[in-house]
């Protein structure tokens, strides 16, 4: 008898697991203990009836409801017909909805003419339609959460399930529920004006002129006022120009000198290699010595003395290779929630992958890069922080004659990078191309140009910086360098003359061009008259 009972229990258990493994769990159908999923059919009927009674009712709920918000399949079909009529700017009433359902071939599945007509008897007016619509949406969200939970329940029983993929998919599914159902509404002018005035007052308190995350390069910060929240900044250059050195220097300045939490996703270099670069720049020790560990006793003392601030800096490094945009978004949200990061750096964009799982439907590489750049802009806006992405330039730069300065058309693999970016910066070192003098006859050795080729919210300028190759860092051309006197960034406020309102008064080491916002034009050669006579020699 006991054996028979045990066999029956085993059979029931195996059937339960088979149900979880082979098809959606019963939870998604009726819920635990035979409960029906959350629903409000009477309210669904009342809302549809109100939409057919009053012509302006749909504008009240069109941002709240979508076809899948309705539990009843018939109601989904009727709402789709109503949306079709709205898209065609046609009147919405019983007759037009029935006619549209006929054209769609959905009249019988939607319950027929009499069912549609009877919906108008469920309500007298559209006075409470918004409240009813929100209840319908709440029930739809609950149903989606139940489906997600049942999927997790099913997949967690599978021995072949990758638990980390399951976590990622769960987080993504929950985020999609939030994004698709909780939309930002419009703001009226009065509230927006109040916010704008408050921001202006806060900016007026910033005596150094910085309203974003400081780069630490005085002349560059004068042009940009720091890396601005919600901006996507593309920093592009040919290999060997110092892209990583530039962003690492800017990251160090923001984190060490201004205590701004920064995250960097290094797809090209390992975390230790990146930290070694930071140590070399901070302690001003030759990068080759750092690589080999060949340091004299006094250099060890110098290293230990100067890296204290760096050790305590709020810098978060992730060196996951072939990072997907989904993983990046997830990690950025966590870093924002746990550490309130103020800036994200990606080194570099072309090493990222899209969200496609395999080659099916992936499209070509240009489309993938386009989707990545759009997603990066979305992350910047969602988290309200600057996102700085490094990018490679095409080889056309090398085949071009003259000084080989990069242009917007040189951005590699996708024109959408230029389109999505709020700012495009090119790094250019003339000495890399054996150009020893600039247009004015000044030596170019040890200098680099930061060319702002696109600036959605500002002017196009070129900033001169010092490049210190042995320490792999950039610094101000004429300031005290971080970590010592080798040239770098002065942490003090900008000089008063830097923000002189006189249009002819420029900061040192800066070349100004007229704004070409979004016109896609490439930088033109800079005439000698654009330089101030009192500029320091390069």
């Amino acid at each position: 008898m006991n054996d028979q009972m045990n066999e029956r229990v085993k059979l029931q258990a195996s059937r339960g697991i088979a149900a979880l493994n082979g098809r959606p769990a019963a939870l998604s159908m009726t819920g635990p203990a035979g409960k029906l999923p959350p629903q409000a059919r009477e309210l669904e009927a009342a809302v549809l009836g109100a939409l057919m009674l009053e012509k302006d009712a749909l504008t009240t709920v069109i941002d709240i409801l979508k076809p899948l918000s309705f539990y009843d399949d018939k109601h989904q079909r009727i709402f789709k017909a109503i949306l079709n009529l709205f898209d065609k700017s046609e009147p919405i009433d019983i007759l037009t909805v029935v006619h549209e359902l006929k054209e769609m071939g959905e009249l019988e599945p939607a319950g027929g003419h009499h069912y549609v007509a009877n919906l108008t008897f469920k309500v007298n007016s559209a006075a409470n339609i918004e409240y009813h619509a929100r209840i319908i949406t709440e029930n739809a969200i609950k149903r989606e959460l139940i489906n997600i939970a049942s999927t997790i329940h099913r997949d967690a029983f599978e021995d072949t399930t990758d638990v980390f993929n399951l976590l990622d998919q769960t987080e993504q599914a929950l985020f999609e529920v939030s994004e698709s159902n909780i939309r930002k509404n419009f703001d009226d002018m009065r509230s927006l004006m109040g916010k704008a005035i408050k921001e202006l007052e806060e900016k007026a308190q910033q005596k150094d002129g910085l309203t974003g995350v400081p780069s630490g390069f005085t002349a560059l910060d004068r042009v940009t006022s720091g890396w601005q929240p919600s901006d996507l900044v593309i920093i592009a250059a040919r290999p060997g120009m110092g892209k990583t050195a530039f962003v690492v220097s800017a990251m160090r300045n923001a984190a060490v000198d201004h205590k701004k939490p920064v995250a960097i996703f290094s797809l090209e270099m390992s975390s230790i290699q990146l930290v070694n670069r930071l140590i070399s720049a901070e302690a001003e020790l030759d990068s080759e010595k750092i690589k080999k560990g060949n340091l004299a006793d006094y250099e060890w003392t110098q290293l230990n003395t100067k890296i204290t601030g760096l050790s305590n800096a709020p810098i978060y490094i992730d060196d996951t290779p072939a990072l997907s945009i989904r993983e990046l978004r997830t990690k950025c949200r966590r870093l924002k929630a746990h550490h309130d990061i103020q800036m994200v750096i990606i080194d570099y964009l072309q090493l990222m992958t899209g969200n496609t799982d395999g080659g099916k439907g992936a499209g070509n590489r240009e489309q993938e890069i386009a989707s990545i750049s759009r997603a990066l802009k979305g992350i910047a806006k969602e988290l309200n922080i600057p996102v700085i992405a490094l990018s490679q330039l095409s080889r056309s730069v090398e085949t071009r004659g003259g000084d080989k300065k990069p242009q917007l058309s040189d951005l590699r693999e996708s024109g959408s990078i230029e389109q999505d970016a709020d700012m495009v910066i090119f790094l250019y070192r003339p000495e890399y191309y054996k150009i020893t003098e600039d247009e004015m006859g000044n030596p170019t050795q040890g200098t680099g140009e930061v060319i702002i080729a696109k600036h959605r919210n500002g002017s196009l300028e070129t900033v001169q910086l010092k490049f210190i190759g042995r320490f792999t860092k950039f610094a101000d051309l004429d300031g005290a360098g971080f970590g010592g006197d080798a040239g770098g960034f002065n942490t003090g406020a900008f000089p008063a003359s830097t923000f002189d309102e006189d249009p002819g008064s420029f900061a040192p080491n800066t070349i100004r061009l007229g704004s070409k916002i979004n016109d896609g034009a490439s930088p033109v050669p800079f005439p000698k008259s654009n330089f101030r006579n009192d500029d320091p020699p390069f």
Side-chain angles (χ1 to χ4, degrees):
M1 186 69 174
N2 288 336
D3 291 341
Q4 290 179 348
M5 289 181 65
N6 289 336
E7 287 300 323
R8 190 178 303 162
V9 169
K10 288 179 181 179
L11 180 60
Q12 290 174 346
S14 65
R15 284 175 178 170
I17 295 173
L20 288 169
N21 292 340
R23 57 182 179 275
L27 181 63
S28 62
M29 299 295 183
T30 59
K35 289 184 178 180
L36 288 172
Q39 56 183 283
R41 290 188 183 184
E42 287 299 317
L43 288 179
E44 291 178 9
V47 166
L48 292 174
L51 292 177
M52 290 185 285
L53 282 176
E54 297 190 16
K55 64 176 183 178
D56 296 326
L58 183 59
T59 57
T60 306
V61 299
I62 196 167
D63 290 333
I64 303 172
L65 295 174
K66 54 183 185 290
L68 289 178
S69 301
F70 294 86
Y71 177 76
D72 194 312
D73 182 65
K74 296 190 294 293
H75 297 163
Q76 291 183 16
R77 298 172 192 273
I78 295 169
F79 189 69
K80 285 179 186 177
I82 291 173
L83 290 180
N84 288 348
L85 291 170
F86 179 79
D87 292 339
K88 293 186 286 188
S89 300
E90 295 181 2
I92 299 169
D93 56 36
I94 297 174
L95 297 178
T96 56
V97 170
V98 169
H99 180 71
E100 183 64 26
L101 285 167
K102 283 181 181 177
E103 289 195 345
M104 294 167 58
E106 299 281 354
L107 182 57
E108 290 307 317
H113 182 281
H114 292 291
Y115 185 83
V116 175
N118 286 335
L119 291 174
T120 58
F121 298 123
K122 303 289 185 180
V123 65
N124 293 322
S125 73
N128 300 316
I129 190 171
E130 183 176 355
Y131 181 74
H132 295 162
R134 293 195 182 279
I135 295 175
I136 293 170
T137 299
E138 288 173 8
N139 283 310
I141 293 173
K142 289 178 181 178
R143 292 196 300 272
E144 290 184 66
L145 293 175
I146 289 171
N147 284 330
I148 292 170
S150 65
T151 302
I152 298 168
H153 188 217
R154 180 194 65 209
D155 292 345
F157 271 100
E158 287 281 1
D159 293 335
T160 57
T161 298
D162 186 318
V163 67
F164 298 106
N165 282 342
L166 181 58
L167 282 171
D168 180 64
Q169 291 166 7
T170 302
E171 188 173 49
Q172 181 66 19
L174 289 171
F175 175 72
E176 286 174 358
V177 170
S178 174
E179 283 293 288
S180 61
N181 291 286
I182 304 172
R183 306 295 294 177
K184 187 181 184 298
N185 207 345
F186 61 85
D187 295 309
D188 61 78
M189 193 61 184
R190 181 180 294 274
S191 63
L192 288 174
M193 191 64 74
K195 291 177 183 177
I197 295 299
K198 185 178 179 181
E199 281 192 9
L200 284 174
E201 290 172 349
E202 291 174 353
K203 290 175 182 178
Q205 303 298 320
Q206 299 288 337
K207 299 304 181 184
D208 55 7
L210 290 173
T211 58
V213 178
S215 71
F217 304 120
T218 309
L220 180 61
D221 281 337
R222 182 197 63 80
V223 179
T224 64
S225 296
W227 310 116
Q228 295 299 310
S230 79
D231 273 7
L232 172 60
V233 180
I234 299 295
I235 297 176
R238 288 293 296 156
M241 287 292 171
K243 294 187 298 296
T244 303
F246 177 79
V247 292
V248 166
S249 298
M251 175 182 69
R252 178 264 166 212
N253 295 337
V256 176
D257 294 324
H258 294 270
K259 310 302 180 188
K260 301 285 187 181
V262 180
I264 181 168
F265 294 87
S266 179
L267 286 79
E268 188 175 33
M269 302 171 62
S270 70
S271 299
I272 296 300
Q273 288 175 321
L274 204 59
V275 169
N276 284 339
R277 281 204 175 198
L278 281 164
I279 292 172
S280 173
E282 188 74 11
E284 295 193 334
L285 295 171
D286 196 305
S287 57
E288 286 296 319
K289 288 188 174 184
I290 295 290
K291 186 189 299 183
K292 298 175 182 177
N294 186 21
L295 302 178
D297 289 342
Y298 78 91
E299 289 173 322
W300 279 108
T301 303
Q302 180 177 332
L303 185 150
N304 291 324
T305 302
K306 292 193 174 184
I307 65 170
T308 304
L310 188 62
S311 300
N312 299 322
I315 297 174
Y316 305 94
I317 301 174
D318 186 307
D319 61 356
T320 305
L323 190 69
S324 73
I325 196 67
R326 180 183 296 125
E327 292 173 316
L328 176 70
R329 186 185 289 112
T330 299
K331 291 180 178 184
C332 286
R333 285 200 205 101
R334 290 173 184 167
L335 285 165
K336 183 66 177 176
H338 297 157
H339 303 290
D340 192 26
I341 55 170
Q342 299 298 305
M343 183 167 68
V344 167
I345 298 170
I346 296 104
D347 182 14
Y348 59 91
L349 188 149
Q350 279 81 9
L351 290 179
M352 292 190 66
T353 60
N355 287 334
T356 51
D357 301 320
K360 187 177 180 180
N364 58 35
R365 180 59 178 165
E366 183 172 337
Q367 292 171 332
E368 187 176 20
I369 291 293
S371 69
I372 290 171
S373 67
R374 282 194 301 271
L376 291 179
K377 175 60 183 174
I379 292 171
K381 195 169 180 182
E382 177 192 339
L383 301 181
N384 196 35
I385 58 175
V387 172
I388 300 176
L390 303 191
S391 177
Q392 292 283 19
L393 292 178
S394 66
R395 290 193 179 92
S396 60
V397 178
E398 310 296 332
T399 60
R400 201 161 49 232
D403 55 16
K404 302 184 186 298
K405 284 190 177 181
Q407 303 172 359
L408 286 171
S409 58
D410 297 323
L411 283 171
R412 187 173 170 187
E413 287 183 316
S414 179
S416 66
I417 297 176
E418 174 191 343
Q419 175 183 322
D420 295 326
D422 296 280
M423 188 185 301
V424 177
I425 290 176
F426 294 127
L427 297 181
Y428 172 70
R429 292 194 297 113
E431 65 176 324
Y432 182 86
Y433 296 111
K434 307 296 189 291
I435 299 174
T436 58
E437 293 182 349
D438 61 15
E439 294 91 337
M440 297 182 66
N442 296 311
T444 60
Q445 184 178 4
T447 65
E449 295 182 10
V450 178
I451 303 169
I452 303 177
K454 177 186 177 182
H455 194 183
R456 202 186 297 276
N457 302 306
S459 60
L460 308 180
E461 302 191 21
T462 293
V463 175
Q464 301 283 343
L465 295 179
K466 179 183 290 185
F467 176 70
I468 309 170
R470 42 197 296 257
F471 303 148
T472 59
K473 73 174 181 180
F474 280 84
D476 275 345
L477 196 61
D478 53 358
F482 64 76
D485 299 325
F489 150 57
N490 188 346
T491 59
F494 299 145
S497 61
T498 301
F499 293 99
D500 195 331
E501 293 185 2
D502 178 8
S505 179
F506 301 155
N509 315 321
T510 307
I511 306 166
R512 168 163 289 192
L513 297 175
S515 177
K516 300 187 184 72
I517 298 176
N518 296 332
D519 65 358
S522 58
V524 297
F526 309 116
K528 295 182 180 180
S529 61
N530 280 357
F531 292 87
R532 286 178 54 183
N533 293 330
D534 59 347
D535 277 349
F538 296 162

